[in-house]
Amino acid sequence: MFKFLKGVVGGSGTGLKDLPYNIGEPYSSAWGSWVHYRGTSKDDGTPVSIFALTGSNANDGHLAAGRNGVKRLRTVRHPNILSFLHSTEAENFDGSTTKVTIYIVTEPVMPLSEKLKELGLKGTQRDEYYAWGLHRIAKAVSFLNNDCKLVHGNVCVASVVVTQTLDWKLHAFDVLSEFDGNNESSVGPMLQYDWLIGAQYKPMEMLKSDWTSIRKSPPWAIDSWGLGCLIYELFSCTKLSKTEELRNTASIPKSLLPDYQRLLSSMPARRLNSSKLLENGEYFQNKLLETIQFMEILNLKDSVEKDTFFRKLPNLAEQLPREIVLKKLLPLLASALEFGSAAAPALTALLKMGSWLSNEEFSIKVLPTIVKLFAANDRAIRVSLLQHIDQYGESLSSQIVDEQVYAHVATGFSDTSSFLRELTLKSMLVLAPKLSHRTISGSLLKYLSKLQVDEEPAIRTNTTILLGNIASYLNEGTRKRVLINAFTVRALRDTFSPARGAGVMALSATSSYYDVTEIATRILPNIVVLTIDPDSNVRSKAFQAVDQFLQIVKQHHDKTSTGDTSTTSMGTSSIPGNAGLLGWAMSSLTHKGGKASEQSSNAPASVPVASAVSDASSIADSSSMTPVHIRVGADAADHPVPVSPTSTDGWGELENGIHEGNGSDKDGWDDIEPQEEPKPSPSLANIQAAQRRPVSQPKPQVTGLRGKTTSKMSKDDDEDLWGSVAAPAPRATSQPSNSRANRTVDDDDPWAAIAAPAPSAKPLNVKRSGALDDNDPWAAIAAPVPTATARPSIGRGRGTKPAPRLGAQRVNRTSSGM
């Protein structure tokens, strides 16, 4: 019989050697004769608690009561009762005697008395935590008494433990008994093992062993007395030593005092039911308890209640005990967000609580939830994630960003909402450094190519700013193809003045990536035109950039004149006054007019594009999902926002699965008519026309200029991950191209559409026929060949004055001779 009972109690284990847990250090206190150990699982190292009870022989009364406790703990399940995991018995031989030990493995917990000392709460925070804990234990006792008709028999501080989330749980079920007033044997275990209960915790009827009176009493009478003992020990901070001490009520809160006195009534029938104790609204009504209760029944709340609650939670969390917020509220909030029961504003509270954690804890408790949220289809969640990316972006590893996060974030580049497109663009300032070269060249740059011709001027401006910032993460071939084309052909010709200013500053900030030939033939001619820009900020930046690039060219001249062939970096670091050029992009993309946590998802705000771009112009950074309409200053108002330029003048078409089907959707809102964009002013149009004039190209022996490739890269070179954007090798043949109209743009080359024409190897001469030769860079402005009829010059000069009529004079002289 004993072996059978032992197998039932022990479960699958037959001894300590079969216990799949490691036993660690013991706690200094535990209930009764039990010893409470720290433990870990042998499989995965997860923490557990192990309770051990040792008896001198198999018939020891402690062991019999312990087996009753194991049986009850295995069968009784409640959120506020200790969770059972495993149990076993082991026999140890000590000389001629045999000792039996019962082991119970539970969730990791800590004795309440030790946890209270560790927390060290005082004042209001202590009272709120005690109220929460008592509420939990009262619910557990009420469940046993009223629902299960069971009597615990020994409720006190020693029978309460605290979980890792600071929840209070009831255990110590050694004397737990059924209660049936009509059955004399219903309190058998309590009658049999009442000697385990300390005399100071026994009500008068138990001290007198008046079991007849006990059977006639309500089922909650004994445990209500125990709740009174627990309340006294909590607030007096001392262990109850004798029953008379319960009359000292000086430390009991006034709002709890009437219920405390009813719990300890001398008449069992008049003692307060624990379920009635929970109805004490005055004592159990506090911020901590209400917050936790709301989070635990979040699924039952409607969207309005959730939204109101989560907007108040960040400020409320600062008033609650920090340990409870981090160990209880934070896991609840992360779980609610992960499983979709929490609203988007909850992310603000999650990140605020996460900021109180160490970096290691943040990576374990918060980051996994954030990564999962990127895959959510809720647009409000995506907006909130992008708005606060500066708070957690640095904690994301490069592998997680490249493999899990970027694919979801990139869908925002083509979103119908301009606000979400701009947030996605700004997030790349944090995420781009963590992306692989394959992802940047194969995906990100193609999205940026589309955004640089976006209908929203703010997005076009910030795209240029972002390109200037991520230039250092591009390989050399990609930089040569992308940067100059993106900054000069698109940014400098944009009708939005901050976009032109951003293009100038981006060129200055990335000057170290250009050789002297590119500076002289492609950068300086485009910047010089902006020295007469209608916008004063653009003009001042253009003059600074011209000085900077001329100094670089002059340094090159001085070196070549002295015969110094050494190559040194002539970037921004070597130019006085430009050491902080990279700062403009950083401040533009991260500054949002205030702390991110202070912004709500539907409160509009306006933030600057960049202080270096335009002091008088600003970009609307609306926090709602409505379209973004740009408000510019008086200077920029003279030059209205243009219609989104076509991609034929930019740095490539979007390919490789990136669809442009949203082009006709405008900003994605059907109830708002798109604004009709007027044409640029005449002065700005003249500047753009001058920028489009061809720049004379030097002879092909000068390195640095891009020649036109004669064929696509072969498939044998498929190991080149950036072949579609890498700079092609210069042409080896000197055969001139036939005509510009006959040139074909390589679909694999996103920058070919605006690439500089290949330099001609043919010596400069004057075409004898009247037709223009594309291979002759001077043909457009050369003096026309005399003809027999008068016709105007086809040169593309700045004015409209016709060329001299040389042909007509020759005809007159010939006719007079006749």
Side-chain angles (χ1 to χ4, degrees):
M1 182 66 183
F2 171 71
K3 291 183 178 180
F4 171 75
L5 180 61
K6 179 180 175 183
V8 172
V9 174
S12 61
T14 58
L16 184 59
K17 62 181 180 179
D18 298 320
L19 186 68
Y21 299 93
N22 298 312
I23 300 178
E25 295 295 323
Y27 290 100
S28 59
S29 62
W31 183 85
S33 300
W34 290 89
V35 181
H36 185 182
Y37 294 95
R38 300 172 178 87
T40 57
S41 171
K42 292 181 179 179
D43 295 334
D44 53 10
T46 55
V48 295
S49 280
I50 301 176
F51 294 86
L53 177 66
T54 303
S56 59
N57 56 70
N59 298 321
D60 192 314
H62 289 88
L63 293 178
R67 294 186 185 102
N68 177 65
V70 173
K71 182 182 71 173
R72 298 296 186 178
L73 196 61
R74 292 181 65 180
T75 55
V76 178
R77 299 286 181 173
H78 188 268
N80 305 124
I81 292 178
L82 184 61
S83 299
F84 174 88
L85 297 179
H86 184 83
S87 67
T88 189
E89 286 190 22
E91 294 182 354
N92 299 319
F93 297 96
D94 184 10
S96 60
T97 61
T98 301
K99 291 186 177 181
V100 179
T101 304
I102 300 175
Y103 293 95
I104 305 177
V105 183
T106 68
E107 61 181 315
V109 290
M110 186 175 182
L112 175 61
S113 57
E114 296 188 29
K115 193 64 181 181
L116 294 180
K117 293 179 182 178
E118 180 183 292
L119 292 175
L121 298 176
K122 296 181 180 179
T124 304
Q125 291 189 346
R126 188 202 70 163
D127 294 340
E128 289 183 349
Y129 183 58
Y130 284 3
W132 175 42
L134 283 173
H135 190 273
R136 291 296 192 263
I137 299 303
K139 288 181 70 175
V141 172
S142 176
F143 170 75
L144 293 175
N145 298 158
N146 301 307
D147 299 335
C148 303
K149 303 303 180 183
L150 296 172
V151 179
H152 184 278
N154 193 17
V155 178
C156 60
V157 167
S159 62
V160 179
V161 289
V162 185
T163 67
Q164 291 182 324
T165 57
L166 301 184
D167 290 289
W168 292 16
K169 293 200 173 186
L170 187 65
H171 80 125
F173 288 174
D174 291 18
V175 295
L176 188 72
S177 305
E178 292 89 355
F179 183 89
D180 185 0
N182 299 322
N183 187 354
E184 294 184 0
S185 62
S186 63
V187 291
M190 184 179 298
L191 178 62
Q192 187 176 359
Y193 308 121
D194 71 317
W195 52 271
L196 291 172
I197 305 172
Q200 69 272 27
Y201 297 115
K202 291 181 178 181
M204 188 60 62
E205 62 270 20
M206 286 191 71
L207 282 174
K208 295 180 180 180
S209 299
D210 187 359
W211 297 106
T212 302
S213 175
I214 292 174
R215 292 188 185 97
K216 293 180 180 180
S217 301
W220 60 81
I222 294 177
D223 288 342
S224 292
W225 181 277
L227 276 174
C229 298
L230 172 63
I231 292 172
Y232 174 82
E233 290 184 321
L234 274 178
F235 290 98
S236 65
C237 300
T238 58
K239 186 175 181 179
L240 183 65
S241 59
K242 55 184 179 179
T243 306
E244 289 73 13
E245 293 177 353
L246 295 173
R247 297 179 180 178
N248 184 6
T249 61
S251 60
I252 308 300
K254 293 182 179 179
S255 59
L256 190 60
L257 184 58
D259 288 342
Y260 171 76
Q261 292 173 336
R262 292 182 63 188
L263 288 170
L264 296 173
S265 174
S266 58
M267 299 179 62
R270 299 183 59 181
R271 288 176 191 154
L272 183 67
N273 190 340
S274 54
S275 64
K276 299 296 183 181
L277 176 65
L278 296 172
E279 298 176 2
N280 186 337
E282 184 180 359
Y283 177 70
F284 290 115
Q285 188 174 6
N286 60 64
K287 294 178 181 178
L288 176 63
L289 189 57
E290 291 174 354
T291 301
I292 295 176
Q293 285 181 328
F294 189 97
M295 289 295 301
E296 290 178 339
I297 58 174
L298 192 61
N299 289 329
L300 304 179
K301 303 295 183 179
D302 59 38
S303 58
V304 176
E305 290 177 306
K306 290 180 183 179
D307 189 73
T308 303
F309 172 77
F310 288 122
R311 292 188 186 281
K312 295 179 179 179
L313 187 56
N315 293 331
L316 182 62
E318 294 183 347
Q319 306 172 24
L320 302 177
R322 185 62 53 87
E323 283 288 322
I324 302 174
V325 169
L326 296 181
K327 293 185 177 180
K328 178 63 179 180
L329 284 181
L330 183 61
L332 286 175
L333 190 57
S335 177
L337 276 167
E338 184 174 338
F339 294 102
S341 58
L347 184 62
T348 303
L350 178 72
L351 292 174
K352 185 166 188 176
M353 297 177 187
S355 65
W356 300 333
L357 296 170
S358 64
N359 293 335
E360 294 76 13
E361 290 178 318
F362 184 84
S363 299
I364 296 173
K365 297 181 178 180
V366 179
L367 272 188
T369 299
I370 292 176
V371 172
K372 292 178 182 178
L373 288 178
F374 274 105
N377 294 324
D378 189 345
R379 180 180 276 183
I381 291 288
R382 175 68 57 80
V383 168
S384 186
L385 283 170
L386 297 179
Q387 283 179 324
H388 301 94
I389 196 168
D390 56 322
Q391 298 182 28
Y392 61 84
E394 294 301 324
S395 301
L396 294 171
S397 66
S398 298
Q399 182 179 4
I400 290 178
V401 171
D402 198 53
E403 297 179 1
Q404 301 181 46
V405 174
Y406 173 77
H408 300 293
V409 175
T411 59
F413 285 124
S414 54
D415 195 272
T416 55
S417 169
S418 57
F419 177 60
L420 187 54
R421 293 199 306 274
E422 186 170 19
L423 281 179
T424 304
L425 177 67
K426 291 181 179 182
S427 70
M428 288 300 112
L429 182 67
V430 177
L431 299 181
K434 300 176 181 293
L435 296 176
S436 64
H437 287 292
R438 178 192 294 272
T439 304
I440 292 177
S441 299
S443 176
L444 178 59
L445 290 180
K446 294 183 183 295
Y447 283 117
L448 297 183
S449 174
K450 180 179 180 180
L451 291 181
Q452 215 183 12
V453 294
D454 194 271
E455 61 185 1
E456 292 291 340
I459 294 178
R460 300 198 302 269
T461 303
N462 286 333
T463 302
T464 301
I465 292 173
L466 177 64
L467 277 171
N469 248 279
I470 67 173
S472 59
Y473 306 110
L474 307 178
N475 59 30
E476 184 178 359
T478 305
R479 282 198 296 261
K480 285 185 175 295
R481 276 299 178 91
V482 175
L483 296 185
I484 295 182
N485 292 330
F487 297 152
T488 61
V489 177
R490 286 191 176 172
L492 299 188
R493 297 177 185 177
D494 200 301
T495 55
F496 189 52
S497 60
R500 299 195 299 275
V504 175
M505 294 301 291
L507 284 169
S508 298
T510 57
S511 61
S512 60
Y513 302 127
Y514 315 125
D515 57 38
V516 177
T517 305
E518 290 173 323
I519 291 174
T521 60
R522 303 184 62 191
I523 297 178
L524 277 173
N526 285 282
I527 297 180
V528 167
V529 178
L530 294 182
T531 57
I532 58 170
D533 191 271
D535 190 291
S536 60
N537 276 316
V538 176
R539 291 197 301 270
S540 62
K541 292 175 177 59
F543 279 114
Q544 294 174 5
V546 168
D547 293 340
Q548 174 184 342
F549 284 110
L550 282 177
Q551 188 172 353
I552 295 176
V553 176
K554 186 177 183 299
Q555 290 177 2
H556 175 74
H557 164 72
D558 294 340
K559 290 182 179 181
T560 55
S561 298
T562 57
D564 184 4
T565 58
S566 61
T567 58
T568 58
S569 174
M570 294 181 291
T572 57
S573 60
S574 63
I575 306 301
N578 288 309
L581 283 177
L582 290 176
W584 58 271
M586 179 69 71
S587 62
S588 170
L589 289 177
T590 57
H591 179 63
K592 298 180 176 63
K595 294 183 179 179
S597 60
E598 297 174 356
Q599 294 190 358
S600 61
S601 61
N602 62 356
S606 179
V607 301
V609 179
S611 57
V613 175
S614 176
D615 296 332
S617 303
S618 63
I619 296 177
D621 191 2
S622 174
S623 298
S624 65
M625 296 308 298
T626 56
V628 177
H629 296 289
I630 305 304
R631 297 182 180 181
V632 296
D635 194 14
D638 296 335
H639 315 291
V641 179
V643 179
S644 178
T646 61
S647 61
T648 55
D649 65 340
W651 29 290
E653 303 295 336
L654 294 181
E655 298 179 75
N656 297 345
I658 300 177
H659 305 290
E660 296 181 281
N662 296 330
S664 61
D665 293 339
K666 298 297 179 185
D667 49 23
W669 303 98
D670 297 334
D671 56 340
I672 298 179
E673 295 294 331
Q675 295 182 349
E676 184 177 355
E677 310 290 358
K679 296 181 179 180
S681 62
S683 58
L684 187 57
N686 291 337
I687 293 176
Q688 293 176 338
Q691 288 177 319
R692 294 189 181 96
R693 295 172 190 156
V695 179
S696 59
Q697 302 295 330
K699 296 187 177 182
Q701 60 266 24
V702 179
T703 60
L705 287 180
R706 295 170 41 204
K708 179 182 176 184
T709 57
T710 57
S711 62
K712 295 183 181 180
M713 299 182 67
S714 65
K715 293 298 180 180
D716 296 336
D717 297 330
D718 57 355
E719 295 301 322
D720 183 3
L721 302 180
W722 308 276
S724 61
V725 292
R731 258 181 99 161
T733 178
S734 61
Q735 182 179 356
S737 59
N738 296 330
S739 172
R740 184 168 304 182
N742 295 330
R743 296 176 184 172
T744 60
V745 179
D746 189 351
D747 290 339
D748 294 332
D749 181 6
W751 325 116
I754 58 170
S760 174
K762 188 175 181 180
L764 301 178
N765 62 349
V766 178
K767 190 78 175 178
R768 295 184 179 180
S769 63
L772 290 177
D773 187 354
D774 285 343
N775 294 321
D776 185 356
W778 312 109
I781 58 174
V785 179
T787 60
T789 59
R791 60 180 180 179
S793 171
I794 61 174
R796 291 188 291 178
R798 189 182 307 176
T800 59
K801 184 177 179 180
R805 302 182 58 179
L806 299 178
Q809 295 174 8
R810 180 177 297 180
V811 170
N812 290 339
R813 286 199 300 271
T814 305
S815 61
S816 63
M818 293 176 62

